[in-house]
Structure formats: structure tokens, C-alpha cells
Amino acid sequence: MNLVVAGATGRTGSEVVAEACRRGHDVSGVARSADDVGDVRVSPAGELPDLLEDADALVDFTVPEASREHAARAADAGVPYVVGTTGFDDEGIADLREAGEATPVLKAANFARGVRALLEVVQAGVAALPDYDVELTETHHSGKRDAPSGTANTILDVVDDARDAALDRTYGREGEHERDDDEVGVHIRRAGNVRGEHEVLLAGNDEVLSLSHRAESRRVFAAGAVGQNPAAPTDPRLPFPCPRR
Ligand SMILES: NC(=O)c1ccc[n+]([C@@H]2O[C@H](COP(=O)([O-])OP(=O)(O)OC[C@H]3O[C@@H](n4cnc5c(N)ncnc54)[C@H](OP(=O)(O)O)[C@@H]3O)[C@@H](O)[C@H]2O)c1
């Protein structure tokens, strides 16, 4: 396939470029600045319409304001759009939905397979323990812009769904305040180069159930974004960066 990666110079986008190369795709990139990733050509974002002319898909890990534009360009070109960017406001989500009227749009706050499984386990755990307190902690690298993470927001939605209620999201705690039954605590840490950690704590009845996920490299997000097909070639010995063919 001919893949265009938006945010190709970024922490995650560069992993997507590498993973797509390992799987034998033709890859080109766009970013705010033109700064090639090894042998993979990265063009300024303004050149995206030209690149989409013969693209099979656009994969995007940038920032919400750029992704809204990228979604519109993918829709114009009728190119399937895979977006991992997080931190969209309601208008941004509406733009993605609008793009989805014209072309397939796949949005996920977290492309790790383990996180998909975590969401199912959280749903089951919260539903099985309806009277237990729920607290969520997430940790990411110091360069992350949005807080809570998109994954944390997705987990909180799953908790609400399992409780069939909109729990009061309490962000950190300070001072004197007794915990209410209908609140869920949300604790956010930003430090170093942590790829992404999420822990859901369920506590009550003299016991604690802890459900957690930790990404050990950004390759897990890249692999999810370009497809988990185990039959796809993923030989880690293939050179990176790979030349554009
Ligand atoms: N869904 C998932 O599984 C998942 C996993 C990890 C991260 N994410 C999300 O992916 C996004 C990127 O994270 P990151 O850590 O990779 O960020 P990053 O390292 O800061 O990279 C951002 C990339 O976006 C480009 N960019 C920034 N502003 C732009 C603009 N206005 N127009 C075009 N390109 C622009 C940057 O280009 P320049 O270098 O030229 O500025 C860079 O290539 C975040 O929203 C993050 O939460 C999602």
C-alpha cells in the first residue's frame, strides 16, 4: 500500500513510518516542517493534497488542529483516514464525523492491543463490583500536551457505561473533602519518557482490584495503526529507515 504518515517526524509518527516500512508499504510523510526521516521523504503539511492523489491511506499522529485539516483533505481525496491524535474538543470530533461521511475514518485513542483488552476487563470489573470505589491513574512523558490522556477519557467513558451513570470526575485531590460514592478520582502524572501507563483501581469490601496497562515502546501504537495482521511481514531486521520505492 501507499501510506502517507502525518506527523512523520514525531515520537509516534516516526514509529509508524518504521513499522509501515517493515511491512513493505510505500511510505511518505508530512509534518509541520519538511525534515526527512532517514530515507523517507517528509514534506510540509501544505503538500498533503498532492501526496493523497495516489495514496491508499493517511495515518495521522499530530495535534488536533492539524488533524482536523488532515481529515478534511482525506475526505476531499476519498482516502481512508486513520487517526491516533488525541485531545479533540467537540468541534474537532464533529469534523472527524463529517470526514467520515465522505471516506472511512478510524479513530482510536490508543492502538495498543492490550488497551483494547483492558477496556473490556474494566467494563467487566466495574459491572461486577457496582459498589466499589473507582480511581484512575495515568502517567505519560513530559512532552504530552493533553490531559487526561485520550485513553484515560475512554476508560472513564467505559466506567460510566458499566455503572450506567455519569460519575463525577474528580481530578486530583487537595484539602478536606470526603469521597462521594458517585465520584471517580482521576490522577495524572507527566514525567520523563514514559510511553503510557494506565491503572484502574477498584476498592471496597476489604480488597483492591488493580487493572493496568503499560506500553513498553511506541511500536505497539504503530503496529496497531498500520494493522495487526500477523501474516504481514514484520521482520525487525529490515533496515530502518527504508528507502521510498
Ligand atoms: N492513538 C494512539 O495509540 C496514540 C499513541 C501515542 C500518541 N498518540 C497521540 O498522537 C499525537 C502525537 O503524539 P507524539 O508524542 O507523537 O507527538 P510529537 O512527538 O510532538 O509529534 C507531533 C508530530 O506532529 C507534527 N505537527 C505538529 N503540529 C503540526 C501542524 N500544525 N501541522 C502538521 N504537523 C504538525 C510534528 O511536526 P514537526 O516536527 O514539524 O513540528 C510532529 O511530526 C498526540 O495527540 C498523542 O496523544 C496516540
Side-chain angles (χ1 to χ4, degrees), residues 6-14 30-35 45 60-67 70 83-87 108-112 141 143-146 150-151 195 218 220-222:
T9 56
R11 282 174 285 248
T12 317
S14 57
V30 291
R32 198 162 30 180
S33 49
D35 189 7
D60 185 356
F61 286 84
T62 56
V63 293
E65 55 271 29
S67 293
H70 298 160
V83 56
T85 307
T86 59
N110 196 311
F111 278 98
H141 57 91
K144 184 164 178 60
R145 286 190 0 163
D146 54 320
T151 308
R195 269 63 167 179
R218 292 189 176 88
V220 71
F221 309 126

Side-chain angles (χ1 to χ4, degrees), residues 15-95:
E15 285 289 339
V16 173
V17 169
E19 190 66 17
C21 285
R22 284 187 203 104
R23 290 167 185 247
H25 298 302
D26 287 340
V27 187
S28 55
V30 291
R32 198 162 30 180
S33 49
D35 189 7
D36 293 356
V37 178
D39 291 344
V40 173
R41 176 90 195 279
V42 178
S43 307
E47 292 181 23
L48 183 59
D50 292 341
L51 289 170
L52 290 179
E53 273 177 19
D54 52 27
D56 295 305
L58 171 62
V59 184
D60 185 356
F61 286 84
T62 56
V63 293
E65 55 271 29
S67 293
R68 291 172 68 173
E69 177 70 20
H70 298 160
R73 298 292 74 81
D76 290 346
V79 170
Y81 178 57
V82 176
V83 56
T85 307
T86 59
F88 291 99
D89 58 16
D90 290 346
E91 286 180 1
I93 294 294
D95 282 356

Side-chain angles (χ1 to χ4, degrees), residues 26-199:
D26 287 340
V27 187
S28 55
V30 291
R32 198 162 30 180
S33 49
D35 189 7
D36 293 356
V37 178
D39 291 344
V40 173
R41 176 90 195 279
V42 178
S43 307
E47 292 181 23
L48 183 59
D50 292 341
L51 289 170
L52 290 179
E53 273 177 19
D54 52 27
D56 295 305
L58 171 62
V59 184
D60 185 356
F61 286 84
T62 56
V63 293
E65 55 271 29
S67 293
R68 291 172 68 173
E69 177 70 20
H70 298 160
R73 298 292 74 81
D76 290 346
V79 170
Y81 178 57
V82 176
V83 56
T85 307
T86 59
F88 291 99
D89 58 16
D90 290 346
E91 286 180 1
I93 294 294
D95 282 356
L96 295 185
R97 287 191 191 285
E98 191 180 326
E101 301 289 324
T103 196
V105 172
L106 173 61
K107 176 187 180 301
N110 196 311
F111 278 98
R113 292 172 72 186
V115 164
R116 302 316 303 169
L118 176 71
L119 296 176
E120 290 180 22
V121 172
V122 168
Q123 165 85 35
V126 173
L129 303 169
D131 52 332
Y132 282 31
D133 296 332
V134 185
E135 297 276 315
L136 169 65
T137 302
E138 61 104 330
T139 310
H140 281 87
H141 57 91
S142 50
K144 184 164 178 60
R145 286 190 0 163
D146 54 320
S149 67
T151 308
N153 283 327
T154 304
I155 291 171
L156 291 167
D157 290 343
V158 165
V159 171
D160 280 354
D161 190 49
R163 283 278 159 93
D164 199 18
L167 295 184
D168 184 14
R169 297 176 184 182
T170 301
Y171 296 94
R173 290 195 179 82
E174 190 182 25
E176 294 192 25
H177 168 70
E178 262 188 40
R179 194 183 196 288
D180 293 326
D181 287 342
D182 65 349
E183 76 182 47
V184 53
V186 185
H187 309 282
I188 297 155
R189 303 189 294 187
R190 294 286 175 265
N193 192 27
V194 178
R195 269 63 167 179
E197 298 179 357
H198 296 84
E199 182 196 28

